[in-house]
Amino acid sequence: LQQRLLRKSNEPPVVFHWLPVIGSTVTYGIDPFKFIFECQAQYGDIFTFILLGRKVTVYLGSKGNQFILNGKLKDVNAEEIYSVLTTPVFGKDVIYDVPNAKFMEQKKFIKFGLTSDSLRSYVPLMENEIRSFINRTPHFKGSSGTVQLPPIMAQITLFTASRSLQGKEVREKLDTTFADLYHDLDDGFQPINFMLPWFPLPQNRRRDVAQRKMTQIYTDIIKTRRSKQKEKDSEDMLWNLMTSVYKDGTPVPDTETAHMMIGLLMAGQHSSSVTSSWIMLHLAAQPEIMEELYQEQLHILGDNALTYENVQSLPLAMHVIRETLRLHPPIHSIMRKVKNPLPIAGTSWVVPPSHVLLAAPATMGKSDEYFPNAEKWDPHRWETIADPKDEEKEKMDYGYGLVSTGADSTYLPFGAGRHRCIGEQFAYLQLSIVMIVMVREFKLKNVDGKKGVVATDYSSLFSRPMEPARVKWEKRTGCS
Ligand code: HEM
């Protein structure tokens, strides 16, 4: 009653809670989807809950996605939410540490390093990295065994992204200094630093040292490249960024290039790594789909080397990625700070500037209303659904001049609007190549006749498989 009385009558309903500051933090943190669906059943598509003292207003469904993800820049703001977490990790003057207009320019520079030609040049590099990893890791010695999948997929993701997007100098350092720095930096990329940025965690000192050292590594690479006066390699992300110039004529400073490279590394690593783990876990749970993928490869690829074109010519492989992102979106909550009172059309409610807005487009992917039998992982369901990537492509020009991108879709694993993911094409390519090579090399099965896949662990920033997540592997005979 007290909570009802304290709420202003024109604000959305507040989820019932016993403790004032804690509010719904624990129930949301343990399983955000369960919490959101339960609140939706009780309060409808719009409600507010307390997350560590903050008032968070959730707006679900297409209208909610539109309201939040395509909200006006003056009304909703991402950097005020994310920068406490990202700036100490990525570094200053990039991404969420700058006004959005500058970040949009930076996104455009990054886009030039992710053209089809760049992606084309990454294909053999990624394939070689995966094969070399499989051959050298003790986890795959012999003809069969069991393996804890997530750490393996994390390493494969890091090696492939390092060799392609990050360039060969970074890949060379990954076997020595870079890996430790990456881990120290990654330890600072945790929900606790997001929610309680002032808390003096011991790992934050290591994070800060690693950030400085990593920046130094990139700026040294840039200096060496400049001193050798090599021709610009237009396919290379580092070259692109280090030779980019802002609209006002200022060349991008080397530290900013370094910080953007770190941002790309960190933004891409977890989402791609957890997605590849979920793919492999589902294939182990449904080996008949893995067999179908293998036959698809034999039929369409034969013994041809992987290319940018043929990697994308495998319909079932594409559907496996799409279906996995539907059921296991790495990012469950997208948040924005409210900057002005925001009336919600069709209601009498106004979201005040003290609130944070939360969009959860992934809830639609998990709803039977939009995806019949939504809990079932069934890549074949996509055979009868229009390609969401194509629809999206029509709506956006990828020039980031156009900042209002379709938020109406029921499937938005890469977000929408001005903050839409920049790494989608790269992620699809990387995930496809990892899956193609793994399917070519291995047969997977669940251990001990277990059914299905492990539960989801929501305790980190990116939803990931609960560990242990072990599977049985067997090498295919006669494969390369
Ligand atoms: C933003 C998902 C891979 C770079 C986002 C957002 C989502 C997302 C939902 C929007 C966040 C928001 O609106 O607040 C994913 C998924 C991936 C993936 C599911 C893989 C399966 C990557 C990769 C890169 C990357 C590989 C880099 C190469 C970024 C960046 C942003 C972003 C820089 C921030 C964009 C902005 O705020 O304007 N991603 N991502 N992502 N992603 Fe990804």
Side-chain angles (χ1 to χ4, degrees):
L1 182 66
Q2 191 198 23
Q3 283 166 25
R4 284 205 176 150
L5 290 174
L6 286 176
R7 171 172 77 92
K8 293 201 185 114
S9 61
N10 68 345
E11 289 180 9
V14 179
V15 174
F16 176 79
H17 52 276
W18 292 105
L19 300 170
V21 177
I22 301 295
S24 308
T25 308
V26 177
T27 26
Y28 168 77
I30 292 174
D31 187 340
F33 285 109
K34 185 165 178 278
F35 170 75
I36 289 175
F37 280 128
E38 282 172 6
C39 294
Q40 187 183 31
Q42 196 173 346
Y43 303 97
D45 281 349
I46 307 166
F47 53 87
T48 298
F49 72 96
I50 307 298
L51 181 62
L52 286 178
R54 285 187 188 182
K55 287 184 179 160
V56 178
T57 296
V58 180
Y59 190 172
L60 300 171
S62 290
K63 283 189 191 157
N65 296 337
Q66 190 65 31
F67 186 81
I68 299 173
L69 304 180
N70 274 331
K72 292 203 176 83
L73 192 54
K74 70 172 179 47
D75 292 332
V76 293
N77 175 296
E79 50 272 25
E80 282 185 35
I81 299 283
Y82 296 144
S83 64
V84 286
L85 172 75
T86 55
T87 302
V89 176
F90 302 170
K92 294 202 77 60
D93 300 324
V94 300
I95 309 189
Y96 301 122
D97 191 52
V98 290
N100 186 259
K102 180 166 176 182
F103 178 32
M104 284 294 147
E105 276 201 72
Q106 294 176 342
K107 263 181 124 169
K108 205 169 68 192
F109 303 148
I110 295 168
K111 190 205 90 174
F112 289 129
L114 288 170
T115 56
S116 317
D117 283 343
S118 318
L119 297 178
R120 187 169 284 113
S121 72
Y122 294 162
V123 174
L125 304 177
M126 290 196 198
E127 184 182 359
N128 284 345
E129 281 297 335
I130 304 162
R131 291 195 181 283
S132 142
F133 179 84
I134 292 173
N135 288 335
R136 70 175 186 270
T137 179
H139 297 284
F140 290 135
K141 278 270 171 296
S143 56
S144 64
T146 60
V147 72
Q148 164 83 333
L149 259 180
I152 295 289
M153 301 322 292
Q155 289 188 63
I156 290 180
T157 308
L158 190 58
F159 281 117
T160 46
S162 301
R163 180 60 193 93
S164 55
L165 197 63
Q166 297 284 324
K168 70 173 183 321
E169 297 99 325
V170 169
R171 171 61 189 90
E172 278 160 13
K173 291 192 184 333
L174 195 56
D175 294 322
T176 52
T177 44
F178 201 87
D180 290 340
L181 295 177
Y182 168 79
H183 288 296
D184 284 351
L185 206 51
D186 193 40
D187 278 347
F189 209 42
Q190 304 280 353
I192 179 128
N193 280 331
F194 185 35
M195 304 314 299
L196 309 171
W198 43 265
F199 197 76
L201 288 175
Q203 68 257 40
N204 288 355
R205 281 199 47 208
R206 277 186 284 120
R207 171 199 67 190
D208 297 343
V209 172
Q211 207 292 324
R212 282 194 296 277
K213 286 191 178 164
M214 221 188 237
T215 301
Q216 190 66 49
I217 288 180
Y218 282 105
T219 49
D220 286 349
I221 295 172
I222 296 171
K223 275 199 195 87
T224 310
R225 283 190 181 196
R226 286 222 170 90
S227 68
K228 288 192 179 155
Q229 291 191 322
K230 278 209 215 143
E231 281 279 288
K232 174 179 170 178
D233 170 359
S234 62
E235 259 73 272
D236 182 293
M237 178 61 82
L238 192 61
W239 269 118
N240 260 296
L241 297 182
M242 64 189 256
T243 51
S244 290
V245 178
Y246 287 110
K247 272 198 289 228
D248 68 0
T250 316
V252 172
D254 291 354
T255 47
E256 288 186 21
T257 297
H259 295 165
M260 278 190 260
M261 294 299 288
I262 298 174
L264 287 179
L265 181 71
M266 304 306 286
Q269 171 64 22
H270 290 281
S271 24
S272 295
S273 154
V274 294
T275 306
S276 65
S277 291
W278 283 121
I279 291 174
M280 292 306 146
L281 290 169
H282 275 290
L283 294 181
Q286 287 170 242
E288 71 285 0
I289 304 268
M290 192 159 191
E291 217 37 47
E292 273 186 66
L293 283 169
Y294 182 61
Q295 293 305 327
E296 178 180 76
Q297 271 191 44
L298 293 184
H299 185 64
I300 298 177
L301 300 183
D303 282 329
N304 293 323
L306 297 185
T307 65
Y308 180 58
E309 282 71 23
N310 71 16
V311 162
Q312 294 178 74
S313 69
L314 305 169
L316 182 59
M318 292 299 123
H319 293 159
V320 163
I321 299 175
R322 204 166 290 159
E323 177 69 344
T324 306
L325 285 170
R326 178 187 70 78
L327 213 46
H328 306 283
I331 298 176
H332 53 74
S333 301
I334 297 180
M335 297 198 192
R336 302 285 183 263
K337 176 85 182 69
V338 180
K339 300 296 289 175
N340 286 304
L342 297 180
I344 301 181
T347 73
S348 56
W349 293 327
V350 177
V351 189
S354 54
H355 285 208
V356 169
L357 278 168
L358 186 153
T363 49
M364 294 169 98
K366 287 175 172 279
S367 158
D368 287 336
E369 194 184 335
Y370 306 107
F371 293 90
N373 209 355
E375 272 311 301
K376 187 170 175 352
W377 184 83
D378 174 14
H380 289 296
R381 75 167 74 232
W382 291 95
E383 284 158 16
T384 52
I385 303 176
D387 182 348
K389 276 172 76 202
D390 287 347
E391 280 176 26
E392 272 302 304
K393 270 182 206 146
E394 278 170 28
K395 286 182 196 154
M396 38 189 319
D397 67 0
Y398 284 100
Y400 295 100
L402 186 79
V403 287
S404 167
T405 70
D408 330 318
S409 174
T410 52
Y411 181 77
L412 294 171
F414 295 93
R418 66 175 59 245
H419 288 288
R420 192 177 197 286
C421 181
I422 201 168
E424 175 176 359
Q425 284 76 7
F426 178 83
Y428 254 87
L429 188 73
Q430 188 182 27
L431 291 168
S432 308
I433 297 172
V434 170
M435 178 168 55
I436 289 169
V437 176
M438 291 295 284
V439 166
R440 200 42 95 99
E441 297 291 323
F442 297 106
K443 291 180 182 179
L444 301 181
K445 261 200 314 205
N446 273 359
V447 286
D448 308 328
K450 282 203 177 109
K451 293 254 181 296
V453 293
V454 291
T456 305
D457 174 357
Y458 293 104
S459 68
S460 82
L461 284 172
F462 301 84
S463 328
R464 60 184 181 192
M466 193 79 85
E467 295 187 23
R470 299 184 74 77
V471 297
K472 274 190 180 163
W473 58 268
E474 186 190 325
K475 280 197 183 136
R476 289 186 192 273
T477 46
C479 60
S480 55

